[in-house]
Amino acid sequence: MSQDDRYKEIIKREMAKLKKPVKLKVFTSQRVQPDGTKIRACMDCGQFMVLLRVYEENSNGMLTIEELSIDDNPEFAKRYDITRVPTILFIDNNGREIIRYLAAPKGGEIQPFIQTIFTFAGMPNYYETTIRQNLDRIPPSTIKIMMTETCPYCPQVIAISNSFAIASEGKIRTVVIDIMANPDIGQYYDAAGVPYTIINDQKTLVGMVGPNEILKALIGGNIRVQY
Amino acid sequence: MFNIDMESIDLEKIYDLIVLGGGPAAIGCAIYAARFAMDVLVVGKTFGGLIATTHIVENYPAITSISGQGLMDMFKDHMDSLNIPYISDAIRSIDKVDDHFELHSFFQKFKAYSICISTGTERRKLGVPGEEEFAGRGVSYCATCDGPFFKDKIVCVIGGSDSAAKEALFLAQNTKKVYIIYRGEEIRAEPINKKRVYENDKIEIIYKTKIVEIKGDNTVKSVIFDNGKEFDIDGVFIEIGSTPNSDVAKSIGVETNVKGEIKINRKSETNIPGIFAAGDVADAPFKQAITGVSEGVIAAYSAFDYVKEMNIEY
Ligand SMILES: Cc1cc2nc3c(=O)[nH]c(=O)nc-3n(C[C@H](O)[C@H](O)[C@H](O)COP(=O)(O)OP(=O)(O)OC[C@H]3O[C@@H](n4cnc5c(N)ncnc54)[C@H](O)[C@@H]3O)c2cc1C
């Protein structure tokens, strides 16, 4: 089986297990052609949407991917500060952005993306109790995770950070950034290593980090634990 | 895999075996334990372990050549086929309570009659000024992870082991030039990798040299040698061995040697009944994925015997 087929198999097998509905918004850019029809104007958007439809089509109708053109939805794009396409947003019932992907969920990123969809749908979240117990000590935070497609440890840091964000009732937001696709962001942070995790544009965690290290950095002190 | 399926995890139950780690030794142990019909849970800080960071593995019997990540994907598939639950978490201490152990992380408490510690090692740091400051900005401990950032640039690998040689060979594929900087007189790579290094035009070895400082502005720009010379470089890959992650073992009094490696016997037993260890964290002199798997498999067998002796039904 080719690697691509193997990945498709994983998406098919796992997405079929989704039991609750999830809606994601994907921003692309579209251009009107002389004959009045629309085509996607951004280079990567076509393939990106094909990939996301694989997730959607295998979810027994549970996952809905809503494609929004920034040109047709300027208000919405402005509200969520969409500055590049394609962008995936996980938005909660209160309209709060919880997770943003500036990265395609392919290759090693399939597993954390699926886990994020399931946790977002309400699947029990392993980290929830401890996150809630420490929530009063966590300031409103953004975790930016710089990743590349080939990085072996990135998927795990992403899975953990996204689970934290979902458990945090809107206090933590994650942004997953493929720095090969968005080299300017990598350069802005001088990142030449992945995973490169930045908390509130202040603290940087380089390389493989476990959930305890991320939480400690968010709190800025020791973790309170009550089993 | 790190798809934590909470429905398959019972935090109240006393597991027959909890395996600590997410590398080859841990997964090898868990696969055998599951086949012994033991109730097994794996708790690993990261899945894949150290081997996942190497671009090529050519010495895992029956697999001629595969990336480290590819090898661990196969371990993952095997583990999934046996429905072995896995949790992304780090255990920080272990206590003995009556007839079982309690394992504490920052997120949960677990219970098990037996434990296999396969927590591997932590990369050794050079300990020179600039190393911490430029981590992720030119200083790296993983060529597969960070190599792509140094396309057409000049980098160095510090160290003289087989791992250092392999990292240099990988980096040579896309960089302009790779210097291996080694304090010894002859690199200690496997003969096949040594030959590849010698034959690679892009790789040059600087012997009997240590780095005393890493310098730069926003990113690495140069290193200072122990002879005082400043050497221009864009990336520094540190590959000078590792130290065992045995603190959690020590928390319950597991015996270690002077290097901090867990002492085990041929049954992968430690000095504490019910606690076994396997892989790079243990005291075997030769450390490879296959040797770790072997110790892990033996640990599963010994744990099976141990739990059976306790007359626990499963
Ligand atoms: C560059 C390089 C190239 C290599 N090439 C080869 C090769 O070609 N062939 C080969 O056979 N070997 C190779 N090796 C060696 C090989 O990687 C190791 O021998 C092997 O990974 C050891 O496996 P392990 O499971 O014992 O430990 P590791 O792979 O180190 O795994 C340890 C695991 O324990 C986890 N952990 C740590 N602390 C805790 C905790 N407190 N709680 C829970 N989990 C924890 C870690 O996150 C990790 O998942 C190479 C090593 C390097 C660095």
Side-chain angles (χ1 to χ4, degrees):
Chain A
M1 202 192 282
S2 77
Q3 194 66 316
D4 261 6
D5 289 342
R6 188 175 166 270
Y7 286 139
K8 268 200 187 134
E9 264 318 298
I10 296 175
I11 298 179
K12 261 187 175 171
R13 188 187 67 212
E14 296 298 325
M15 287 309 294
K17 298 178 195 162
L18 187 62
K19 296 282 177 286
K20 290 185 187 161
V22 172
K23 200 169 178 181
L24 301 184
K25 295 199 188 306
V26 183
F27 287 87
T28 60
S29 161
Q30 289 175 359
R31 196 177 55 218
V32 183
Q33 299 192 102
D35 66 359
T37 57
K38 285 182 176 178
I39 56 161
R40 292 195 187 99
C42 47
M43 215 168 59
D44 296 334
C45 291
Q47 273 191 332
F48 200 88
M49 287 311 298
V50 170
L51 172 68
L52 289 179
R53 296 288 175 220
V54 179
Y55 286 89
E56 190 179 40
E57 282 156 15
N58 288 290
S59 70
N60 299 323
M62 286 296 152
L63 176 67
T64 313
I65 307 269
E66 185 187 1
E67 183 180 0
L68 296 164
S69 163
I70 47 166
D71 316 285
D72 295 343
N73 299 277
E75 283 302 308
F76 208 85
K78 198 170 159 213
R79 179 170 157 208
Y80 287 101
D81 193 23
I82 306 296
T83 53
R84 43 187 89 212
V85 283
T87 294
I88 308 174
L89 290 189
F90 288 71
I91 297 172
D92 73 6
N93 292 336
N94 300 317
R96 287 180 303 211
E97 174 190 334
I98 307 295
I99 296 157
R100 172 179 300 227
Y101 265 77
L102 304 177
K106 59 184 179 187
E109 295 310 318
I110 292 172
Q111 295 247 13
F113 189 66
I114 294 175
Q115 172 171 340
T116 301
I117 292 173
F118 277 64
T119 314
F120 196 67
M123 182 183 85
N125 183 342
Y126 175 76
Y127 306 106
E128 187 172 293
T129 314
T130 309
I131 292 289
R132 294 268 166 91
Q133 281 168 359
N134 288 276
L135 212 51
D136 57 332
R137 302 161 69 213
I138 302 174
S141 300
T142 298
I143 310 176
K144 292 181 185 158
I145 308 143
M146 317 272 164
M147 47 76 64
T148 64
E149 235 184 285
T150 51
C151 151
Y153 292 133
C154 294
Q156 317 185 32
V157 174
I158 293 168
I160 294 163
S161 303
N162 287 351
S163 297
F164 282 14
I166 295 165
S168 75
E169 298 168 339
K171 219 165 181 190
I172 304 169
R173 186 177 80 106
T174 55
V175 185
V176 179
I177 305 160
D178 180 340
I179 47 175
M180 289 299 166
N182 300 279
D184 57 315
I185 303 183
Q187 273 155 19
Y188 178 79
Y189 290 103
D190 292 317
V194 279
Y196 195 86
T197 309
I198 304 170
I199 294 172
N200 293 330
D201 276 348
Q202 284 167 359
K203 281 177 229 159
T204 307
L205 304 169
V206 182
M208 171 192 111
V209 277
N212 50 318
E213 285 146 322
I214 302 174
L215 183 53
K216 236 176 153 174
L218 281 165
I219 296 172
N222 287 333
I223 301 169
R224 189 190 296 145
V225 197
Q226 276 166 345
Y227 301 120
Chain B
M1 172 54 49
F2 24 87
N3 206 352
I4 302 172
D5 177 5
M6 289 297 288
E7 274 154 30
S8 65
I9 293 160
D10 183 350
L11 294 167
E12 293 309 312
K13 145 162 109 187
I14 305 180
Y15 282 90
D16 292 328
L17 173 66
I18 291 186
V19 186
L20 271 58
I27 311 308
C29 177
I31 287 171
Y32 267 71
R35 290 180 54 83
F36 292 141
M38 297 177 85
D39 249 336
V40 57
L41 172 71
V42 184
V43 183
K45 188 171 158 192
T46 57
F47 187 86
L50 202 52
I51 194 84
T53 65
T54 188
H55 73 294
I56 192 160
V57 179
E58 296 176 306
N59 51 15
Y60 200 88
I63 301 172
T64 318
S65 177
I66 191 166
S67 69
Q69 180 73 60
L71 180 66
M72 289 317 291
D73 280 348
M74 289 170 74
F75 272 65
K76 190 198 282 185
D77 286 348
H78 199 160
M79 198 173 152
D80 283 348
S81 75
L82 293 162
N83 294 320
I84 300 169
Y86 176 86
I87 289 179
S88 278
D89 199 356
I91 298 298
R92 56 189 177 123
S93 65
I94 305 170
D95 293 322
K96 176 98 195 194
V97 179
D98 306 326
D99 61 348
H100 64 274
F101 297 99
E102 276 186 5
L103 299 89
H104 305 264
S105 83
F106 283 103
F107 297 87
Q108 291 298 347
K109 181 172 75 181
F110 307 94
K111 294 179 223 143
Y113 291 113
S114 68
I115 296 171
C116 176
I117 302 176
S118 345
T119 44
T121 55
E122 208 65 57
R123 294 299 182 89
R124 189 171 287 142
K125 300 270 185 334
L126 207 52
V128 300
E131 181 180 20
E132 214 169 295
E133 184 187 344
F134 293 109
R137 296 190 291 129
V139 170
S140 170
Y141 303 86
C142 173
T144 328
C145 312
D146 307 334
F149 295 103
F150 297 89
K151 195 168 184 301
D152 301 324
K153 300 217 164 143
I154 302 173
V155 300
C156 64
V157 174
I158 309 194
S161 64
D162 188 57
S163 301
K166 281 179 58 181
E167 298 279 82
L169 287 163
F170 174 70
L171 290 166
Q173 291 173 13
N174 284 310
T175 53
K176 194 159 139 196
K177 178 96 191 165
V178 182
Y179 292 94
I180 294 180
I181 299 171
Y182 183 42
R183 60 183 179 175
E185 298 191 351
E186 172 90 58
I187 56 166
R188 296 169 285 116
E190 271 183 31
I192 184 166
N193 288 329
K194 206 188 241 184
K195 186 162 175 276
R196 287 171 179 159
V197 165
Y198 289 157
E199 287 172 0
N200 194 311
D201 292 340
K202 280 197 195 166
I203 304 177
E204 193 177 312
I205 309 177
I206 302 176
Y207 288 111
K208 292 198 260 183
T209 302
K210 287 186 199 162
I211 282 183
V212 294
E213 191 177 348
I214 300 167
K215 290 174 81 172
D217 40 39
N218 291 333
T219 56
V220 167
K221 291 284 179 287
S222 65
V223 288
I224 309 285
F225 291 159
D226 53 352
N227 60 13
K229 188 178 162 194
E230 182 158 1
F231 194 76
D232 290 348
I233 211 90
D234 301 307
V236 180
F237 288 80
I238 299 169
E239 194 52 70
I240 52 167
S242 41
T243 46
N245 284 324
S246 53
D247 283 355
V248 66
K250 288 177 194 159
S251 75
I252 189 172
V254 168
E255 235 182 284
T256 55
N257 65 16
V258 283
K259 292 190 217 159
E261 297 165 333
I262 299 175
K263 288 190 188 175
I264 57 166
N265 63 17
R266 290 201 62 180
K267 290 181 173 173
S268 295
E269 291 169 330
T270 67
N271 60 311
I272 297 188
I275 300 190
F276 306 86
D280 281 11
V281 73
D283 62 351
F286 188 50
K287 298 183 195 300
Q288 291 282 282
I290 190 77
T291 57
V293 168
S294 160
E295 288 162 7
V297 166
I298 294 167
Y301 182 70
S302 301
F304 173 70
D305 253 1
Y306 173 83
V307 177
K308 197 169 63 186
E309 288 290 305
M310 292 176 79
N311 287 322
I312 292 154
E313 273 188 33
Y314 50 89

mmCIF file with all atom_site columns, all heavy atoms in Angstrom, chain B residues 78-91:
data_model
loop_
_atom_site.group_PDB
_atom_site.id
_atom_site.type_symbol
_atom_site.label_atom_id
_atom_site.label_alt_id
_atom_site.label_comp_id
_atom_site.label_asym_id
_atom_site.label_entity_id
_atom_site.label_seq_id
_atom_site.pdbx_PDB_ins_code
_atom_site.Cartn_x
_atom_site.Cartn_y
_atom_site.Cartn_z
_atom_site.occupancy
_atom_site.B_iso_or_equiv
_atom_site.pdbx_formal_charge
_atom_site.auth_seq_id
_atom_site.auth_comp_id
_atom_site.auth_asym_id
_atom_site.auth_atom_id
_atom_site.pdbx_PDB_model_num
ATOM 1   N N   . HIS B 1 78 ? 0.666  -2.124 14.302 1.00 0.00 ? 78 HIS B N   1
ATOM 2   C CA  . HIS B 1 78 ? 0.628  -3.411 15.003 1.00 0.00 ? 78 HIS B CA  1
ATOM 3   C C   . HIS B 1 78 ? -0.094 -3.258 16.352 1.00 0.00 ? 78 HIS B C   1
ATOM 4   O O   . HIS B 1 78 ? -0.938 -4.059 16.729 1.00 0.00 ? 78 HIS B O   1
ATOM 5   C CB  . HIS B 1 78 ? 2.060  -3.909 15.208 1.00 0.00 ? 78 HIS B CB  1
ATOM 6   C CG  . HIS B 1 78 ? 2.150  -5.377 15.503 1.00 0.00 ? 78 HIS B CG  1
ATOM 7   N ND1 . HIS B 1 78 ? 3.293  -6.100 15.339 1.00 0.00 ? 78 HIS B ND1 1
ATOM 8   C CD2 . HIS B 1 78 ? 1.229  -6.258 15.951 1.00 0.00 ? 78 HIS B CD2 1
ATOM 9   C CE1 . HIS B 1 78 ? 3.069  -7.361 15.672 1.00 0.00 ? 78 HIS B CE1 1
ATOM 10  N NE2 . HIS B 1 78 ? 1.824  -7.475 16.055 1.00 0.00 ? 78 HIS B NE2 1
ATOM 11  N N   . MET B 1 79 ? 0.235  -2.156 17.016 1.00 0.00 ? 79 MET B N   1
ATOM 12  C CA  . MET B 1 79 ? -0.366 -1.885 18.315 1.00 0.00 ? 79 MET B CA  1
ATOM 13  C C   . MET B 1 79 ? -1.882 -1.651 18.180 1.00 0.00 ? 79 MET B C   1
ATOM 14  O O   . MET B 1 79 ? -2.674 -2.166 18.966 1.00 0.00 ? 79 MET B O   1
ATOM 15  C CB  . MET B 1 79 ? 0.312  -0.627 18.849 1.00 0.00 ? 79 MET B CB  1
ATOM 16  C CG  . MET B 1 79 ? 0.170  -0.414 20.296 1.00 0.00 ? 79 MET B CG  1
ATOM 17  S SD  . MET B 1 79 ? 1.209  0.995  20.708 1.00 0.00 ? 79 MET B SD  1
ATOM 18  C CE  . MET B 1 79 ? 0.304  1.569  22.110 1.00 0.00 ? 79 MET B CE  1
ATOM 19  N N   . ASP B 1 80 ? -2.254 -0.882 17.153 1.00 0.00 ? 80 ASP B N   1
ATOM 20  C CA  . ASP B 1 80 ? -3.678 -0.605 16.909 1.00 0.00 ? 80 ASP B CA  1
ATOM 21  C C   . ASP B 1 80 ? -4.438 -1.893 16.615 1.00 0.00 ? 80 ASP B C   1
ATOM 22  O O   . ASP B 1 80 ? -5.584 -2.060 17.029 1.00 0.00 ? 80 ASP B O   1
ATOM 23  C CB  . ASP B 1 80 ? -3.850 0.337  15.709 1.00 0.00 ? 80 ASP B CB  1
ATOM 24  C CG  . ASP B 1 80 ? -3.540 1.780  16.091 1.00 0.00 ? 80 ASP B CG  1
ATOM 25  O OD1 . ASP B 1 80 ? -3.417 2.050  17.298 1.00 0.00 ? 80 ASP B OD1 1
ATOM 26  O OD2 . ASP B 1 80 ? -3.399 2.620  15.180 1.00 0.00 ? 80 ASP B OD2 1
ATOM 27  N N   . SER B 1 81 ? -3.789 -2.813 15.897 1.00 0.00 ? 81 SER B N   1
ATOM 28  C CA  . SER B 1 81 ? -4.478 -4.058 15.528 1.00 0.00 ? 81 SER B CA  1
ATOM 29  C C   . SER B 1 81 ? -4.807 -4.874 16.772 1.00 0.00 ? 81 SER B C   1
ATOM 30  O O   . SER B 1 81 ? -5.693 -5.725 16.757 1.00 0.00 ? 81 SER B O   1
ATOM 31  C CB  . SER B 1 81 ? -3.627 -4.869 14.552 1.00 0.00 ? 81 SER B CB  1
ATOM 32  O OG  . SER B 1 81 ? -2.555 -5.473 15.250 1.00 0.00 ? 81 SER B OG  1
ATOM 33  N N   . LEU B 1 82 ? -4.108 -4.625 17.855 1.00 0.00 ? 82 LEU B N   1
ATOM 34  C CA  . LEU B 1 82 ? -4.367 -5.353 19.102 1.00 0.00 ? 82 LEU B CA  1
ATOM 35  C C   . LEU B 1 82 ? -5.167 -4.496 20.094 1.00 0.00 ? 82 LEU B C   1
ATOM 36  O O   . LEU B 1 82 ? -5.338 -4.868 21.255 1.00 0.00 ? 82 LEU B O   1
ATOM 37  C CB  . LEU B 1 82 ? -3.033 -5.771 19.733 1.00 0.00 ? 82 LEU B CB  1
ATOM 38  C CG  . LEU B 1 82 ? -2.236 -6.819 18.948 1.00 0.00 ? 82 LEU B CG  1
ATOM 39  C CD1 . LEU B 1 82 ? -0.777 -6.847 19.393 1.00 0.00 ? 82 LEU B CD1 1
ATOM 40  C CD2 . LEU B 1 82 ? -2.848 -8.195 19.107 1.00 0.00 ? 82 LEU B CD2 1
ATOM 41  N N   . ASN B 1 83 ? -5.633 -3.336 19.620 1.00 0.00 ? 83 ASN B N   1
ATOM 42  C CA  . ASN B 1 83 ? -6.413 -2.408 20.455 1.00 0.00 ? 83 ASN B CA  1
ATOM 43  C C   . ASN B 1 83 ? -5.729 -2.060 21.774 1.00 0.00 ? 83 ASN B C   1
ATOM 44  O O   . ASN B 1 83 ? -6.357 -2.064 22.838 1.00 0.00 ? 83 ASN B O   1
ATOM 45  C CB  . ASN B 1 83 ? -7.804 -2.983 20.746 1.00 0.00 ? 83 ASN B CB  1
ATOM 46  C CG  . ASN B 1 83 ? -8.623 -3.084 19.490 1.00 0.00 ? 83 ASN B CG  1
ATOM 47  O OD1 . ASN B 1 83 ? -8.584 -2.188 18.643 1.00 0.00 ? 83 ASN B OD1 1
ATOM 48  N ND2 . ASN B 1 83 ? -9.332 -4.190 19.330 1.00 0.00 ? 83 ASN B ND2 1
ATOM 49  N N   . ILE B 1 84 ? -4.464 -1.790 21.706 1.00 0.00 ? 84 ILE B N   1
ATOM 50  C CA  . ILE B 1 84 ? -3.737 -1.430 22.931 1.00 0.00 ? 84 ILE B CA  1
ATOM 51  C C   . ILE B 1 84 ? -3.923 0.071  23.177 1.00 0.00 ? 84 ILE B C   1
ATOM 52  O O   . ILE B 1 84 ? -3.586 0.889  22.318 1.00 0.00 ? 84 ILE B O   1
ATOM 53  C CB  . ILE B 1 84 ? -2.232 -1.754 22.793 1.00 0.00 ? 84 ILE B CB  1
ATOM 54  C CG1 . ILE B 1 84 ? -2.050 -3.259 22.548 1.00 0.00 ? 84 ILE B CG1 1
ATOM 55  C CG2 . ILE B 1 84 ? -1.464 -1.291 24.025 1.00 0.00 ? 84 ILE B CG2 1
ATOM 56  C CD1 . ILE B 1 84 ? -0.642 -3.659 22.138 1.00 0.00 ? 84 ILE B CD1 1
ATOM 57  N N   . PRO B 1 85 ? -4.468 0.435  24.336 1.00 0.00 ? 85 PRO B N   1
ATOM 58  C CA  . PRO B 1 85 ? -4.677 1.877  24.585 1.00 0.00 ? 85 PRO B CA  1
ATOM 59  C C   . PRO B 1 85 ? -3.369 2.609  24.851 1.00 0.00 ? 85 PRO B C   1
ATOM 60  O O   . PRO B 1 85 ? -2.464 2.068  25.484 1.00 0.00 ? 85 PRO B O   1
ATOM 61  C CB  . PRO B 1 85 ? -5.581 1.901  25.816 1.00 0.00 ? 85 PRO B CB  1
ATOM 62  C CG  . PRO B 1 85 ? -5.439 0.581  26.461 1.00 0.00 ? 85 PRO B CG  1
ATOM 63  C CD  . PRO B 1 85 ? -4.968 -0.405 25.433 1.00 0.00 ? 85 PRO B CD  1
ATOM 64  N N   . TYR B 1 86 ? -3.305 3.842  24.345 1.00 0.00 ? 86 TYR B N   1
ATOM 65  C CA  . TYR B 1 86 ? -2.097 4.665  24.494 1.00 0.00 ? 86 TYR B CA  1
ATOM 66  C C   . TYR B 1 86 ? -2.499 6.051  24.981 1.00 0.00 ? 86 TYR B C   1
ATOM 67  O O   . TYR B 1 86 ? -3.469 6.626  24.496 1.00 0.00 ? 86 TYR B O   1
ATOM 68  C CB  . TYR B 1 86 ? -1.370 4.775  23.139 1.00 0.00 ? 86 TYR B CB  1
ATOM 69  C CG  . TYR B 1 86 ? -0.176 5.691  23.190 1.00 0.00 ? 86 TYR B CG  1
ATOM 70  C CD1 . TYR B 1 86 ? 1.059  5.212  23.586 1.00 0.00 ? 86 TYR B CD1 1
ATOM 71  C CD2 . TYR B 1 86 ? -0.285 7.042  22.866 1.00 0.00 ? 86 TYR B CD2 1
ATOM 72  C CE1 . TYR B 1 86 ? 2.162  6.049  23.662 1.00 0.00 ? 86 TYR B CE1 1
ATOM 73  C CE2 . TYR B 1 86 ? 0.806  7.891  22.938 1.00 0.00 ? 86 TYR B CE2 1
ATOM 74  C CZ  . TYR B 1 86 ? 2.022  7.387  23.337 1.00 0.00 ? 86 TYR B CZ  1
ATOM 75  O OH  . TYR B 1 86 ? 3.109  8.232  23.421 1.00 0.00 ? 86 TYR B OH  1
ATOM 76  N N   . ILE B 1 87 ? -1.730 6.585  25.912 1.00 0.00 ? 87 ILE B N   1
ATOM 77  C CA  . ILE B 1 87 ? -1.994 7.942  26.414 1.00 0.00 ? 87 ILE B CA  1
ATOM 78  C C   . ILE B 1 87 ? -0.736 8.791  26.269 1.00 0.00 ? 87 ILE B C   1
ATOM 79  O O   . ILE B 1 87 ? 0.353  8.354  26.616 1.00 0.00 ? 87 ILE B O   1
ATOM 80  C CB  . ILE B 1 87 ? -2.414 7.883  27.904 1.00 0.00 ? 87 ILE B CB  1
ATOM 81  C CG1 . ILE B 1 87 ? -3.809 7.291  28.011 1.00 0.00 ? 87 ILE B CG1 1
ATOM 82  C CG2 . ILE B 1 87 ? -2.361 9.244  28.550 1.00 0.00 ? 87 ILE B CG2 1
ATOM 83  C CD1 . ILE B 1 87 ? -4.305 7.162  29.422 1.00 0.00 ? 87 ILE B CD1 1
ATOM 84  N N   . SER B 1 88 ? -0.898 10.013 25.744 1.00 0.00 ? 88 SER B N   1
ATOM 85  C CA  . SER B 1 88 ? 0.227  10.955 25.661 1.00 0.00 ? 88 SER B CA  1
ATOM 86  C C   . SER B 1 88 ? 0.370  11.662 26.993 1.00 0.00 ? 88 SER B C   1
ATOM 87  O O   . SER B 1 88 ? -0.346 12.625 27.273 1.00 0.00 ? 88 SER B O   1
ATOM 88  C CB  . SER B 1 88 ? -0.075 12.040 24.623 1.00 0.00 ? 88 SER B CB  1
ATOM 89  O OG  . SER B 1 88 ? 0.194  11.614 23.362 1.00 0.00 ? 88 SER B OG  1
ATOM 90  N N   . ASP B 1 89 ? 1.256  11.205 27.809 1.00 0.00 ? 89 ASP B N   1
ATOM 91  C CA  . ASP B 1 89 ? 1.443  11.828 29.114 1.00 0.00 ? 89 ASP B CA  1
ATOM 92  C C   . ASP B 1 89 ? 2.786  11.345 29.676 1.00 0.00 ? 89 ASP B C   1
ATOM 93  O O   . ASP B 1 89 ? 3.308  10.326 29.241 1.00 0.00 ? 89 ASP B O   1
ATOM 94  C CB  . ASP B 1 89 ? 0.291  11.443 30.053 1.00 0.00 ? 89 ASP B CB  1
ATOM 95  C CG  . ASP B 1 89 ? 0.158  12.389 31.225 1.00 0.00 ? 89 ASP B CG  1
ATOM 96  O OD1 . ASP B 1 89 ? 0.997  13.292 31.362 1.00 0.00 ? 89 ASP B OD1 1
ATOM 97  O OD2 . ASP B 1 89 ? -0.789 12.218 32.020 1.00 0.00 ? 89 ASP B OD2 1
ATOM 98  N N   . ALA B 1 90 ? 3.303  12.076 30.622 1.00 0.00 ? 90 ALA B N   1
ATOM 99  C CA  . ALA B 1 90 ? 4.574  11.685 31.245 1.00 0.00 ? 90 ALA B CA  1
ATOM 100 C C   . ALA B 1 90 ? 4.319  11.303 32.696 1.00 0.00 ? 90 ALA B C   1
ATOM 101 O O   . ALA B 1 90 ? 3.669  12.047 33.431 1.00 0.00 ? 90 ALA B O   1
ATOM 102 C CB  . ALA B 1 90 ? 5.554  12.837 31.175 1.00 0.00 ? 90 ALA B CB  1
ATOM 103 N N   . ILE B 1 91 ? 4.816  10.158 33.091 1.00 0.00 ? 91 ILE B N   1
ATOM 104 C CA  . ILE B 1 91 ? 4.701  9.742  34.494 1.00 0.00 ? 91 ILE B CA  1
ATOM 105 C C   . ILE B 1 91 ? 5.821  10.417 35.275 1.00 0.00 ? 91 ILE B C   1
ATOM 106 O O   . ILE B 1 91 ? 6.962  10.463 34.829 1.00 0.00 ? 91 ILE B O   1
ATOM 107 C CB  . ILE B 1 91 ? 4.819  8.198  34.608 1.00 0.00 ? 91 ILE B CB  1
ATOM 108 C CG1 . ILE B 1 91 ? 3.669  7.521  33.843 1.00 0.00 ? 91 ILE B CG1 1
ATOM 109 C CG2 . ILE B 1 91 ? 4.852  7.749  36.069 1.00 0.00 ? 91 ILE B CG2 1
ATOM 110 C CD1 . ILE B 1 91 ? 2.278  7.835  34.360 1.00 0.00 ? 91 ILE B CD1 1
#
